[in-house]
């Protein structure tokens, strides 16, 4: 122990420490409190390093903990329980109300954006429809289009002679030459392109198909009337006894009915613009006085359908 009023832990006992402490407190009690000394004792016991196996260097021993890493936890949901006395701060109730408020506002904004997009789309469709209507109105005013008229001028028949005779062959190969008339005289500014590819000319009797052919391809100028021949052929056509009797009876009455169906793709020529292809459908009901090459038309009626705006009648 020393006489300077300080305690050295290495040389003082517990009794000396208490006595010296009392003396120090009495010695410094009369002096300034701010000048009181502070005592701090910190005892540390050095931890000896782990013993190394015999013959193993220290560097390799230090690398082993780094090489043996713990396995990562398995994926899943974990519940971590924390004691209540360890929770130092709880979020105030206002935070929950703010969260709900912002969540509702975000949902309202999402719904408004979808509604706005639908309105824009509807507006674009409406504008497109208005433009199409304006274009159609311009076509009507400038070109004044009218539907061409179609008719069967004549029909010659071969390969059906003697169909009512008992000695007639069982299979027939009829051939029809239909003279057709396409009248475009009502259109002074619109031409018509007829495409042969995809066209069809069919002749039938009471629903029985007799022959098929094609419409010739050509261009019909504005104000033009075209007359042309469409050929239809059939092979190996067999009739029942009832149908043969009906055709023979109709020939004796000099009125044999046939149905002529015409389908042809057309493109309209409006000035320097050619439209897309639309299919013209013509159905004619005709009757001839005989089943011969010199047959004459007794009656005829045709109706046409063109699926192009105003052309449907």
């Amino acid at each position: 122990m020393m006489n300077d009023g300080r305690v050295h832990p290495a040389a003082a006992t517990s009794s000396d420490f208490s006595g010296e402490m009392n003396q120090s407190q009495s010695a410094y009690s009369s002096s300034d409190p701010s000048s009181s000394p502070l005592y701090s004792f910190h005892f540390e016991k050095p931890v000896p390093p782990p013993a190394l196996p015999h013959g193993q260097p220290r560097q390799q021993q230090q690398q082993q903990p780094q090489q043996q890493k713990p396995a990562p936890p398995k994926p899943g949901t974990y519940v971590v329980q924390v004691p209540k006395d360890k929770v130092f701060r709880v979020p105030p109730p206002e935070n929950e109300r703010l969260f709900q408020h912002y969540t509702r506002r975000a949902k309202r904004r999402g719904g408004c954006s979808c509604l706005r997009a639908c309105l824009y789309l509807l507006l674009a469709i409406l504008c497109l429809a208005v433009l199409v209507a304006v274009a159609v109105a311009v076509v009507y005013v400038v070109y004044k289009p009218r539907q061409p008229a179609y008719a069967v001028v004549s029909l010659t028949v071969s390969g059906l002679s003697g169909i009512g005779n008992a000695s007639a062959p069982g299979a027939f190969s009829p051939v029809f030459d239909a003279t057709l008339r396409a009248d475009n005289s009502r259109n002074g500014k619109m031409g018509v392109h007829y495409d042969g590819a995809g066209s069809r000319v069919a002749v039938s009797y009471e629903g029985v198909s007799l022959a098929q052919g094609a419409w010739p391809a050509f261009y019909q100028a504005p104000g033009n009337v075209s007359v042309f021949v469409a050929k239809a052929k059939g092979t190996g056509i067999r009739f029942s006894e009832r149908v043969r009797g009906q055709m023979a009876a109709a020939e004796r009455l000099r009125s044999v009915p046939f149905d002529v169906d015409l389908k042809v793709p057309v493109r309209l020529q409006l000035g320097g613009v050619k439209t897309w292809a639309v299919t013209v459908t013509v159905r004619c009901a005709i009757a001839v006085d005989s089943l011969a090459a010199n047959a004459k038309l007794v009656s005829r009626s045709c109706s046409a359908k063109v699926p192009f705006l105003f052309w449907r009648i």
Side-chain angles (χ1 to χ4, degrees):
M1 180 173 300
M2 299 180 65
N3 296 327
D4 55 358
R6 289 177 295 178
V7 178
H8 296 273
T13 62
S14 59
S15 59
D16 296 336
F17 174 74
S18 59
E20 291 294 334
M21 192 65 182
N22 294 330
Q23 294 176 4
S24 299
Q25 291 178 357
S26 60
Y28 284 99
S29 59
S30 60
S31 61
D32 187 7
S34 61
S35 61
S36 302
L38 300 176
Y39 295 92
S40 175
F41 298 94
H42 182 68
F43 299 94
E44 291 184 358
K45 183 178 181 181
V47 179
L52 299 177
H54 180 70
Q56 185 175 3
R58 180 177 297 275
Q59 183 178 5
Q60 183 177 1
Q61 179 68 17
Q62 293 177 357
Q63 292 178 357
Q64 286 182 358
Q66 298 179 358
Q67 294 177 357
Q68 298 177 357
K69 296 181 178 180
K74 296 182 179 180
T77 303
Y78 296 88
V79 179
V80 179
Q81 297 182 353
V82 180
K84 186 175 181 180
D85 56 349
K86 298 297 183 181
V87 179
F88 299 100
R89 183 176 182 274
V90 177
E94 292 79 5
N95 289 8
E96 182 179 359
R97 290 194 294 269
L98 290 175
F99 174 76
Q100 294 178 358
H101 171 70
Y102 290 133
T103 303
R104 288 194 298 269
R105 188 168 65 177
K107 290 181 179 179
R108 287 196 299 267
R109 287 182 178 178
C112 293
S113 61
C114 294
L115 181 60
R116 191 180 298 110
C118 293
L119 291 177
Y120 287 156
L121 179 60
L122 183 61
L123 182 61
I125 294 175
L126 182 61
C127 293
L128 182 61
V130 171
L131 292 178
V132 172
V134 171
V136 171
V138 170
V139 170
Y140 267 101
V141 173
V142 175
Y143 293 97
K144 298 179 180 179
R146 296 292 184 272
Q147 176 182 315
Y150 302 95
V152 177
V153 178
S154 63
L155 181 70
T156 61
V157 185
S158 61
L160 291 177
S161 59
I163 192 173
N165 299 333
S167 60
F172 295 86
S173 299
V175 178
F176 298 88
D177 292 335
T179 303
L180 306 176
R181 184 174 184 268
D183 187 356
N184 194 34
S185 59
R186 294 192 299 171
N187 292 300
K189 298 181 180 181
M190 185 188 72
V192 182
H193 293 269
Y194 295 96
D195 298 336
S199 64
R200 186 173 69 92
V201 177
V203 182
S204 61
Y205 173 81
E206 297 293 336
V208 179
S209 179
L210 302 179
Q212 291 189 1
W215 184 296
F218 64 94
Y219 170 69
Q220 189 174 26
N224 178 262
V225 177
S226 302
V227 178
F228 55 94
V229 177
K231 187 180 291 293
K233 296 180 179 181
T235 304
I237 306 300
R238 294 182 179 274
F239 300 98
S240 63
E241 292 294 334
R242 182 183 63 84
V243 174
R244 293 177 66 172
Q246 288 178 353
M247 292 185 70
E251 187 177 12
R252 286 193 298 269
L253 295 175
R254 304 186 66 82
S255 179
V256 183
F258 291 103
D259 293 325
V260 180
D261 295 321
L262 309 172
K263 287 186 178 181
V264 55
V266 301
R267 297 176 185 271
L268 307 181
Q269 186 73 39
L270 303 173
V273 178
K274 185 188 295 186
T275 65
W276 59 91
V278 294
T279 302
V280 174
T281 303
V282 182
R283 185 175 181 84
C284 298
I286 63 174
V288 295
D289 59 351
S290 66
L291 299 175
N294 58 352
K296 296 179 181 180
L297 287 180
V298 178
S299 63
R300 63 183 178 185
S301 63
C302 295
S303 62
K305 267 200 266 190
V306 182
F308 186 78
L309 299 178
F310 49 86
W311 274 16
R312 185 176 292 277
I313 63 172

